Short mmCIF file of all heavy atoms in Angstrom, two decimals:
data_model
loop_
_atom_site.label_atom_id
_atom_site.label_comp_id
_atom_site.label_asym_id
_atom_site.label_seq_id
_atom_site.Cartn_x
_atom_site.Cartn_y
_atom_site.Cartn_z
N MET A 1 10.21 -3.55 -15.96
CA MET A 1 9.36 -4.06 -14.82
C MET A 1 9.83 -3.64 -13.52
O MET A 1 9.16 -3.37 -12.60
CB MET A 1 9.24 -5.57 -15.06
CG MET A 1 8.30 -6.20 -14.07
SD MET A 1 6.64 -5.68 -14.42
CE MET A 1 5.71 -6.95 -13.54
N TRP A 2 11.22 -3.70 -13.35
CA TRP A 2 11.77 -3.42 -11.98
C TRP A 2 11.51 -1.90 -11.63
O TRP A 2 11.42 -1.64 -10.50
CB TRP A 2 13.25 -3.74 -11.94
CG TRP A 2 14.10 -2.87 -12.78
CD1 TRP A 2 14.54 -3.15 -14.04
CD2 TRP A 2 14.76 -1.58 -12.46
NE1 TRP A 2 15.32 -2.04 -14.45
CE2 TRP A 2 15.53 -1.12 -13.54
CE3 TRP A 2 14.70 -0.93 -11.18
CZ2 TRP A 2 16.17 0.06 -13.40
CZ3 TRP A 2 15.44 0.34 -11.14
CH2 TRP A 2 16.16 0.70 -12.24
N GLN A 3 11.36 -1.06 -12.59
CA GLN A 3 11.14 0.36 -12.39
C GLN A 3 9.79 0.53 -11.84
O GLN A 3 9.56 1.38 -10.87
CB GLN A 3 11.30 1.21 -13.59
CG GLN A 3 12.60 1.30 -14.12
CD GLN A 3 12.95 0.33 -15.27
OE1 GLN A 3 12.26 -0.57 -15.46
NE2 GLN A 3 13.96 0.58 -16.03
N VAL A 4 8.84 -0.21 -12.27
CA VAL A 4 7.44 -0.18 -11.83
C VAL A 4 7.45 -0.62 -10.37
O VAL A 4 6.69 -0.06 -9.46
CB VAL A 4 6.48 -0.92 -12.76
CG1 VAL A 4 5.08 -1.17 -12.18
CG2 VAL A 4 6.44 -0.38 -14.15
N MET A 5 8.06 -1.69 -10.17
CA MET A 5 7.96 -2.43 -8.82
C MET A 5 8.73 -1.40 -7.83
O MET A 5 8.24 -1.22 -6.73
CB MET A 5 8.80 -3.79 -8.82
CG MET A 5 8.11 -4.76 -9.63
SD MET A 5 6.39 -5.05 -9.02
CE MET A 5 6.86 -6.15 -7.67
N ALA A 6 9.86 -0.76 -8.30
CA ALA A 6 10.54 0.12 -7.32
C ALA A 6 9.67 1.40 -7.07
O ALA A 6 9.58 1.89 -5.83
CB ALA A 6 11.93 0.61 -7.95
N ALA A 7 8.99 1.92 -8.06
CA ALA A 7 8.18 3.04 -7.85
C ALA A 7 6.97 2.73 -6.99
O ALA A 7 6.57 3.49 -6.06
CB ALA A 7 7.66 3.62 -9.20
N ASN A 8 6.44 1.64 -7.09
CA ASN A 8 5.32 1.16 -6.34
C ASN A 8 5.69 0.95 -4.95
O ASN A 8 5.02 1.40 -3.98
CB ASN A 8 4.73 -0.14 -6.89
CG ASN A 8 3.54 -0.68 -6.14
OD1 ASN A 8 2.72 0.17 -5.53
ND2 ASN A 8 3.28 -1.98 -6.10
N HIS A 9 6.92 0.40 -4.65
CA HIS A 9 7.43 0.26 -3.32
C HIS A 9 7.71 1.57 -2.62
O HIS A 9 7.20 1.75 -1.40
CB HIS A 9 8.66 -0.58 -3.35
CG HIS A 9 9.24 -1.01 -2.04
ND1 HIS A 9 8.60 -2.01 -1.27
CD2 HIS A 9 10.28 -0.60 -1.30
CE1 HIS A 9 9.30 -2.15 -0.07
NE2 HIS A 9 10.27 -1.28 -0.12
N LEU A 10 8.27 2.47 -3.44
CA LEU A 10 8.50 3.79 -2.80
C LEU A 10 7.20 4.52 -2.53
O LEU A 10 7.13 5.08 -1.47
CB LEU A 10 9.21 4.69 -3.89
CG LEU A 10 9.58 6.09 -3.45
CD1 LEU A 10 10.54 6.13 -2.24
CD2 LEU A 10 10.25 6.80 -4.62
N LEU A 11 6.17 4.41 -3.47
CA LEU A 11 4.90 5.05 -3.24
C LEU A 11 4.21 4.48 -1.96
O LEU A 11 3.63 5.24 -1.14
CB LEU A 11 4.01 4.88 -4.44
CG LEU A 11 2.64 5.62 -4.24
CD1 LEU A 11 2.71 7.14 -4.10
CD2 LEU A 11 1.89 5.29 -5.62
N TYR A 12 4.27 3.16 -1.78
CA TYR A 12 3.68 2.44 -0.59
C TYR A 12 4.36 3.05 0.55
O TYR A 12 3.54 3.47 1.59
CB TYR A 12 4.00 0.99 -0.75
CG TYR A 12 3.55 0.27 0.59
CD1 TYR A 12 2.24 -0.04 0.69
CD2 TYR A 12 4.53 -0.06 1.53
CE1 TYR A 12 1.83 -0.77 1.95
CE2 TYR A 12 4.06 -0.64 2.73
CZ TYR A 12 2.74 -1.02 2.79
OH TYR A 12 2.36 -1.62 4.01
N TRP A 13 5.62 3.21 0.71
CA TRP A 13 6.26 3.77 1.93
C TRP A 13 5.93 5.24 2.18
O TRP A 13 5.75 5.58 3.36
CB TRP A 13 7.79 3.52 1.95
CG TRP A 13 8.09 2.07 2.31
CD1 TRP A 13 8.49 1.13 1.46
CD2 TRP A 13 7.88 1.58 3.54
NE1 TRP A 13 8.64 -0.03 2.23
CE2 TRP A 13 8.24 0.19 3.50
CE3 TRP A 13 7.42 2.01 4.92
CZ2 TRP A 13 8.19 -0.72 4.59
CZ3 TRP A 13 7.40 1.13 5.88
CH2 TRP A 13 7.77 -0.24 5.83
N VAL A 14 5.84 6.03 1.11
CA VAL A 14 5.50 7.38 1.28
C VAL A 14 4.05 7.51 1.97
O VAL A 14 3.79 8.23 2.83
CB VAL A 14 5.43 8.12 -0.11
CG1 VAL A 14 4.80 9.45 0.05
CG2 VAL A 14 7.01 8.38 -0.48
N VAL A 15 3.09 6.68 1.32
CA VAL A 15 1.73 6.66 1.90
C VAL A 15 1.70 6.11 3.32
O VAL A 15 1.06 6.68 4.24
CB VAL A 15 0.86 5.90 0.91
CG1 VAL A 15 -0.54 5.62 1.54
CG2 VAL A 15 0.63 6.56 -0.44
N ALA A 16 2.36 5.02 3.55
CA ALA A 16 2.37 4.46 4.93
C ALA A 16 2.97 5.36 5.95
O ALA A 16 2.36 5.50 7.07
CB ALA A 16 3.09 3.16 4.89
N LEU A 17 4.02 6.05 5.58
CA LEU A 17 4.59 6.96 6.61
C LEU A 17 3.77 8.16 6.81
O LEU A 17 3.72 8.81 7.86
CB LEU A 17 6.02 7.37 6.11
CG LEU A 17 7.08 6.23 6.23
CD1 LEU A 17 8.43 6.63 5.55
CD2 LEU A 17 7.21 5.72 7.67
N GLU A 18 3.04 8.64 5.74
CA GLU A 18 2.12 9.78 5.89
C GLU A 18 1.05 9.39 6.77
O GLU A 18 0.56 10.19 7.61
CB GLU A 18 1.73 10.21 4.58
CG GLU A 18 0.70 11.35 4.52
CD GLU A 18 1.38 12.70 5.13
OE1 GLU A 18 2.73 12.70 4.94
OE2 GLU A 18 0.67 13.59 5.57
N VAL A 19 0.58 8.19 6.64
CA VAL A 19 -0.57 7.76 7.66
C VAL A 19 -0.02 7.75 9.02
O VAL A 19 -0.78 8.11 10.02
CB VAL A 19 -1.06 6.38 7.14
CG1 VAL A 19 -1.92 5.72 8.31
CG2 VAL A 19 -1.83 6.49 5.89
N LEU A 20 1.25 7.20 9.26
CA LEU A 20 1.66 7.09 10.59
C LEU A 20 2.07 8.55 11.22
O LEU A 20 2.16 8.58 12.46
CB LEU A 20 2.94 6.21 10.64
CG LEU A 20 2.65 4.74 10.31
CD1 LEU A 20 3.94 4.00 10.24
CD2 LEU A 20 1.75 4.14 11.40
N ARG A 21 2.40 9.42 10.27
CA ARG A 21 2.78 10.76 10.80
C ARG A 21 1.61 11.54 11.51
O ARG A 21 1.89 12.22 12.48
CB ARG A 21 3.33 11.51 9.62
CG ARG A 21 3.85 12.83 10.00
CD ARG A 21 4.38 13.62 8.82
NE ARG A 21 3.34 14.13 7.96
CZ ARG A 21 2.74 15.30 7.99
NH1 ARG A 21 3.12 16.11 8.89
NH2 ARG A 21 1.83 15.54 7.22
N SER A 22 0.42 11.35 11.10
CA SER A 22 -0.60 12.08 11.68
C SER A 22 -1.81 11.10 11.95
O SER A 22 -2.80 11.04 11.29
CB SER A 22 -1.20 13.17 10.73
OG SER A 22 -1.54 12.65 9.49
N PRO A 23 -1.64 10.49 13.12
CA PRO A 23 -2.69 9.45 13.46
C PRO A 23 -4.07 10.01 13.79
O PRO A 23 -5.08 9.25 13.61
CB PRO A 23 -2.08 8.59 14.59
CG PRO A 23 -1.17 9.65 15.19
CD PRO A 23 -0.58 10.47 14.05
N ARG A 24 -4.16 11.21 14.25
CA ARG A 24 -5.46 11.83 14.61
C ARG A 24 -5.63 13.14 13.97
O ARG A 24 -5.20 14.15 14.54
CB ARG A 24 -5.57 11.94 16.24
CG ARG A 24 -5.37 10.48 16.82
CD ARG A 24 -5.92 10.35 18.16
NE ARG A 24 -7.23 10.98 18.39
CZ ARG A 24 -8.30 10.16 18.63
NH1 ARG A 24 -8.31 8.96 18.55
NH2 ARG A 24 -9.45 10.82 18.92
N PRO A 25 -6.28 13.19 12.85
CA PRO A 25 -6.48 14.41 12.14
C PRO A 25 -7.36 15.30 12.90
O PRO A 25 -8.36 14.92 13.65
CB PRO A 25 -7.14 13.98 10.81
CG PRO A 25 -6.91 12.53 10.68
CD PRO A 25 -6.76 12.07 12.05
N ALA A 26 -7.24 16.69 12.64
CA ALA A 26 -7.95 17.65 13.53
C ALA A 26 -9.23 18.15 12.89
O ALA A 26 -10.18 18.61 13.60
CB ALA A 26 -7.04 18.90 13.70
N ASN A 27 -9.47 17.88 11.59
CA ASN A 27 -10.68 18.35 10.90
C ASN A 27 -11.17 17.36 10.03
O ASN A 27 -10.64 16.29 9.86
CB ASN A 27 -10.38 19.63 10.23
CG ASN A 27 -9.17 19.57 9.18
OD1 ASN A 27 -8.89 18.43 8.77
ND2 ASN A 27 -8.61 20.64 8.80
N GLN A 28 -12.35 17.69 9.42
CA GLN A 28 -13.01 16.70 8.53
C GLN A 28 -12.22 16.38 7.29
O GLN A 28 -12.16 15.19 6.87
CB GLN A 28 -14.42 17.26 8.07
CG GLN A 28 -15.39 16.37 7.32
CD GLN A 28 -15.79 15.17 8.26
OE1 GLN A 28 -15.78 15.35 9.51
NE2 GLN A 28 -16.15 14.16 7.78
N ALA A 29 -11.53 17.33 6.67
CA ALA A 29 -10.72 16.98 5.54
C ALA A 29 -9.59 16.18 5.92
O ALA A 29 -9.10 15.29 5.10
CB ALA A 29 -10.21 18.36 4.98
N GLY A 30 -9.03 16.30 7.07
CA GLY A 30 -7.93 15.40 7.56
C GLY A 30 -8.42 13.89 7.70
O GLY A 30 -7.71 13.11 7.42
N TRP A 31 -9.59 13.84 8.23
CA TRP A 31 -10.20 12.49 8.33
C TRP A 31 -10.46 11.84 6.95
O TRP A 31 -10.23 10.65 6.79
CB TRP A 31 -11.54 12.52 9.19
CG TRP A 31 -11.28 12.62 10.71
CD1 TRP A 31 -11.44 13.69 11.37
CD2 TRP A 31 -10.78 11.58 11.52
NE1 TRP A 31 -11.10 13.43 12.67
CE2 TRP A 31 -10.70 12.18 12.75
CE3 TRP A 31 -10.40 10.28 11.33
CZ2 TRP A 31 -10.24 11.42 13.82
CZ3 TRP A 31 -9.96 9.51 12.41
CH2 TRP A 31 -9.80 10.07 13.67
N ALA A 32 -10.96 12.56 6.11
CA ALA A 32 -11.25 12.03 4.75
C ALA A 32 -9.80 11.62 4.02
O ALA A 32 -9.74 10.55 3.47
CB ALA A 32 -11.88 13.07 3.86
N ARG A 33 -8.81 12.45 4.27
CA ARG A 33 -7.48 12.15 3.66
C ARG A 33 -7.04 10.83 4.36
O ARG A 33 -6.45 10.02 3.73
CB ARG A 33 -6.60 13.28 3.92
CG ARG A 33 -5.21 13.16 3.38
CD ARG A 33 -4.50 14.45 3.47
NE ARG A 33 -3.15 14.26 3.39
CZ ARG A 33 -2.30 14.29 4.43
NH1 ARG A 33 -2.68 14.40 5.72
NH2 ARG A 33 -0.94 14.00 4.20
N GLN A 34 -7.17 10.70 5.68
CA GLN A 34 -6.75 9.56 6.40
C GLN A 34 -7.43 8.39 5.90
O GLN A 34 -6.72 7.25 5.77
CB GLN A 34 -6.96 9.73 7.93
CG GLN A 34 -6.28 8.76 8.74
CD GLN A 34 -4.86 9.25 9.00
OE1 GLN A 34 -4.28 10.03 8.30
NE2 GLN A 34 -4.30 8.60 9.89
N VAL A 35 -8.73 8.34 5.67
CA VAL A 35 -9.41 7.29 5.17
C VAL A 35 -8.97 6.83 3.73
O VAL A 35 -8.79 5.65 3.48
CB VAL A 35 -10.98 7.51 5.15
CG1 VAL A 35 -11.76 6.49 4.35
CG2 VAL A 35 -11.57 7.61 6.52
N VAL A 36 -8.71 7.78 2.95
CA VAL A 36 -8.15 7.46 1.51
C VAL A 36 -6.80 6.80 1.80
O VAL A 36 -6.52 5.73 1.04
CB VAL A 36 -8.08 8.76 0.72
CG1 VAL A 36 -7.26 8.53 -0.54
CG2 VAL A 36 -9.46 9.23 0.41
N LEU A 37 -5.83 7.30 2.59
CA LEU A 37 -4.53 6.79 2.67
C LEU A 37 -4.60 5.43 3.23
O LEU A 37 -3.88 4.46 2.82
CB LEU A 37 -3.71 7.78 3.54
CG LEU A 37 -3.36 8.99 2.96
CD1 LEU A 37 -2.62 9.88 3.86
CD2 LEU A 37 -2.50 8.80 1.67
N LEU A 38 -5.47 5.25 4.33
CA LEU A 38 -5.59 3.83 4.95
C LEU A 38 -6.19 2.89 3.93
O LEU A 38 -5.80 1.66 3.92
CB LEU A 38 -6.50 4.00 6.15
CG LEU A 38 -5.75 4.48 7.40
CD1 LEU A 38 -6.69 4.74 8.54
CD2 LEU A 38 -4.47 3.63 7.86
N SER A 39 -7.02 3.29 3.13
CA SER A 39 -7.70 2.43 2.16
C SER A 39 -6.61 1.97 1.04
O SER A 39 -6.57 0.84 0.62
CB SER A 39 -8.79 3.13 1.32
OG SER A 39 -9.84 3.38 2.21
N ALA A 40 -5.69 2.95 0.68
CA ALA A 40 -4.65 2.63 -0.25
C ALA A 40 -3.72 1.61 0.34
O ALA A 40 -3.23 0.68 -0.37
CB ALA A 40 -3.99 3.88 -0.63
N VAL A 41 -3.36 1.74 1.64
CA VAL A 41 -2.44 0.79 2.27
C VAL A 41 -3.19 -0.58 2.40
O VAL A 41 -2.45 -1.55 2.13
CB VAL A 41 -2.13 1.30 3.73
CG1 VAL A 41 -1.31 0.27 4.54
CG2 VAL A 41 -1.19 2.54 3.71
N ALA A 42 -4.39 -0.61 2.67
CA ALA A 42 -5.18 -1.83 2.78
C ALA A 42 -5.18 -2.54 1.46
O ALA A 42 -5.02 -3.81 1.36
CB ALA A 42 -6.52 -1.67 3.36
N LEU A 43 -5.47 -1.78 0.40
CA LEU A 43 -5.57 -2.50 -0.93
C LEU A 43 -4.21 -2.95 -1.38
O LEU A 43 -4.10 -4.08 -1.94
CB LEU A 43 -6.02 -1.39 -1.87
CG LEU A 43 -7.57 -1.16 -1.89
CD1 LEU A 43 -7.98 0.02 -2.88
CD2 LEU A 43 -8.26 -2.35 -2.34
N SER A 44 -3.13 -2.15 -0.98
CA SER A 44 -1.80 -2.69 -1.30
C SER A 44 -1.43 -3.99 -0.64
O SER A 44 -0.94 -4.90 -1.24
CB SER A 44 -0.76 -1.64 -0.97
OG SER A 44 0.50 -2.05 -1.25
N PHE A 45 -1.83 -4.03 0.66
CA PHE A 45 -1.65 -5.18 1.43
C PHE A 45 -2.39 -6.41 0.92
O PHE A 45 -1.79 -7.49 0.77
CB PHE A 45 -2.02 -4.91 2.88
CG PHE A 45 -1.77 -6.11 3.88
CD1 PHE A 45 -0.45 -6.46 4.16
CD2 PHE A 45 -2.81 -6.87 4.27
CE1 PHE A 45 -0.18 -7.58 5.02
CE2 PHE A 45 -2.61 -7.94 5.13
CZ PHE A 45 -1.30 -8.24 5.57
N MET A 46 -3.66 -6.22 0.56
CA MET A 46 -4.49 -7.31 0.06
C MET A 46 -3.98 -7.75 -1.32
O MET A 46 -3.90 -8.92 -1.65
CB MET A 46 -5.90 -6.93 -0.02
CG MET A 46 -6.51 -6.76 1.41
SD MET A 46 -8.26 -6.33 1.45
CE MET A 46 -8.68 -5.55 -0.09
N SER A 47 -3.50 -6.79 -2.13
CA SER A 47 -2.96 -7.22 -3.42
C SER A 47 -1.66 -8.00 -3.29
O SER A 47 -1.40 -8.99 -3.98
CB SER A 47 -2.56 -5.86 -4.21
OG SER A 47 -1.98 -6.22 -5.30
N GLY A 48 -0.85 -7.72 -2.36
CA GLY A 48 0.35 -8.41 -2.02
C GLY A 48 0.01 -9.85 -1.61
O GLY A 48 0.75 -10.76 -2.00
N LEU A 49 -0.97 -9.94 -0.76
CA LEU A 49 -1.35 -11.30 -0.25
C LEU A 49 -1.85 -12.08 -1.46
O LEU A 49 -1.56 -13.38 -1.45
CB LEU A 49 -2.43 -11.18 0.88
CG LEU A 49 -1.93 -10.75 2.21
CD1 LEU A 49 -3.18 -10.69 3.17
CD2 LEU A 49 -1.00 -11.71 2.76
N TYR A 50 -2.71 -11.49 -2.26
CA TYR A 50 -3.17 -12.29 -3.46
C TYR A 50 -2.05 -12.69 -4.33
O TYR A 50 -2.06 -13.84 -4.83
CB TYR A 50 -4.14 -11.39 -4.17
CG TYR A 50 -4.70 -12.10 -5.53
CD1 TYR A 50 -5.59 -13.13 -5.39
CD2 TYR A 50 -4.27 -11.74 -6.68
CE1 TYR A 50 -6.09 -13.75 -6.47
CE2 TYR A 50 -4.68 -12.36 -7.87
CZ TYR A 50 -5.61 -13.34 -7.64
OH TYR A 50 -6.06 -14.09 -8.87
N TYR A 51 -1.06 -11.78 -4.60
CA TYR A 51 0.07 -12.12 -5.38
C TYR A 51 0.80 -13.23 -4.78
O TYR A 51 1.20 -14.11 -5.55
CB TYR A 51 0.97 -10.77 -5.50
CG TYR A 51 2.12 -10.96 -6.37
CD1 TYR A 51 2.02 -11.08 -7.71
CD2 TYR A 51 3.31 -11.00 -5.87
CE1 TYR A 51 3.17 -11.20 -8.45
CE2 TYR A 51 4.56 -11.11 -6.55
CZ TYR A 51 4.43 -11.23 -7.96
OH TYR A 51 5.49 -11.35 -8.66
N MET A 52 1.13 -13.27 -3.55
CA MET A 52 1.85 -14.31 -3.04
C MET A 52 1.12 -15.60 -2.97
O MET A 52 1.71 -16.69 -3.11
CB MET A 52 2.19 -13.94 -1.50
CG MET A 52 3.24 -12.80 -1.36
SD MET A 52 4.71 -12.97 -2.28
CE MET A 52 5.50 -14.15 -1.39
N TYR A 53 -0.21 -15.57 -2.81
CA TYR A 53 -1.10 -16.73 -2.84
C TYR A 53 -1.09 -17.34 -4.33
O TYR A 53 -0.90 -18.56 -4.43
CB TYR A 53 -2.50 -16.37 -2.44
CG TYR A 53 -3.51 -17.57 -2.64
CD1 TYR A 53 -3.49 -18.62 -1.72
CD2 TYR A 53 -4.38 -17.57 -3.77
CE1 TYR A 53 -4.38 -19.65 -1.94
CE2 TYR A 53 -5.22 -18.60 -3.98
CZ TYR A 53 -5.20 -19.69 -2.95
OH TYR A 53 -6.01 -20.72 -3.18
N ALA A 54 -1.10 -16.41 -5.28
CA ALA A 54 -1.02 -16.94 -6.66
C ALA A 54 0.33 -17.67 -6.93
O ALA A 54 0.33 -18.68 -7.71
CB ALA A 54 -1.17 -15.76 -7.62
N ILE A 55 1.43 -17.07 -6.50
CA ILE A 55 2.69 -17.75 -6.55
C ILE A 55 2.77 -19.00 -5.92
O ILE A 55 3.29 -20.05 -6.51
CB ILE A 55 3.82 -16.79 -6.03
CG1 ILE A 55 4.04 -15.52 -6.97
CG2 ILE A 55 5.18 -17.46 -5.95
CD1 ILE A 55 4.91 -14.51 -6.39
N ALA A 56 2.11 -19.13 -4.76
CA ALA A 56 2.25 -20.44 -3.99
C ALA A 56 1.41 -21.46 -4.62
O ALA A 56 1.80 -22.67 -4.64
CB ALA A 56 1.76 -20.19 -2.47
N THR A 57 0.22 -21.07 -5.23
CA THR A 57 -0.60 -22.13 -5.77
C THR A 57 -0.32 -22.52 -7.21
O THR A 57 -0.42 -23.64 -7.63
CB THR A 57 -2.13 -21.65 -5.78
OG1 THR A 57 -2.15 -20.42 -6.42
CG2 THR A 57 -2.58 -21.48 -4.35
N THR A 58 0.28 -21.54 -8.00
CA THR A 58 0.61 -21.86 -9.43
C THR A 58 2.19 -22.10 -9.66
O THR A 58 2.44 -22.70 -10.73
CB THR A 58 0.11 -20.81 -10.34
OG1 THR A 58 0.85 -19.56 -9.97
CG2 THR A 58 -1.36 -20.47 -10.26
N GLY A 59 2.90 -21.61 -8.74
CA GLY A 59 4.28 -21.84 -8.86
C GLY A 59 5.03 -20.83 -9.81
O GLY A 59 6.22 -21.03 -10.13
N THR A 60 4.28 -19.82 -10.21
CA THR A 60 4.83 -18.86 -11.08
C THR A 60 4.26 -17.43 -10.67
O THR A 60 3.29 -17.31 -9.92
CB THR A 60 4.57 -19.09 -12.59
OG1 THR A 60 5.10 -18.13 -13.45
CG2 THR A 60 2.96 -19.02 -12.84
N TYR A 61 4.76 -16.41 -11.22
CA TYR A 61 4.43 -15.02 -10.84
C TYR A 61 3.58 -14.35 -11.98
O TYR A 61 3.29 -13.18 -11.92
CB TYR A 61 5.63 -14.14 -10.56
CG TYR A 61 6.54 -14.01 -11.67
CD1 TYR A 61 6.46 -12.94 -12.63
CD2 TYR A 61 7.59 -14.86 -11.75
CE1 TYR A 61 7.39 -12.81 -13.65
CE2 TYR A 61 8.63 -14.71 -12.86
CZ TYR A 61 8.39 -13.73 -13.78
OH TYR A 61 9.34 -13.58 -14.72
N HIS A 62 3.18 -15.13 -12.95
CA HIS A 62 2.27 -14.52 -14.03
C HIS A 62 0.83 -14.63 -13.72
O HIS A 62 0.26 -15.33 -13.08
CB HIS A 62 2.45 -15.22 -15.39
CG HIS A 62 3.93 -15.03 -15.91
ND1 HIS A 62 4.57 -15.97 -16.52
CD2 HIS A 62 4.71 -13.97 -15.84
CE1 HIS A 62 5.79 -15.53 -16.97
NE2 HIS A 62 5.84 -14.31 -16.45
#
């Protein structure tokens, strides 16, 4: 399980840093790529919030 969590954390930072590296894409393909990356970061953030909410309300991580 820890390998999955570590890989997910690493992937999150790779995506987040890629988004921050090029904040204003020059072409249409760049904009599409930016939208996909920002969507992935937003989904990851919302998933984390839901996970923490579930821990707070149920007292467990299952």
Side-chain angles (χ1 to χ4, degrees):
M1 182 69 161
W2 69 269
Q3 293 97 339
V4 173
M5 295 297 284
N8 186 30
H9 188 72
L10 179 65
L11 182 61
Y12 173 80
W13 280 108
V14 167
V15 170
L17 291 174
E18 182 64 25
V19 168
L20 293 175
R21 187 177 67 92
S22 58
R24 301 202 44 109
N27 56 20
Q28 190 67 22
W31 281 107
R33 183 170 162 261
Q34 194 80 347
V35 167
V36 169
L37 292 174
L38 286 173
S39 297
V41 170
L43 284 173
S44 177
F45 181 75
M46 290 184 334
S47 172
L49 285 179
Y50 177 75
Y51 180 73
M52 295 305 287
Y53 175 76
I55 289 175
T57 57
T58 63
T60 184
Y61 60 89
H62 292 145

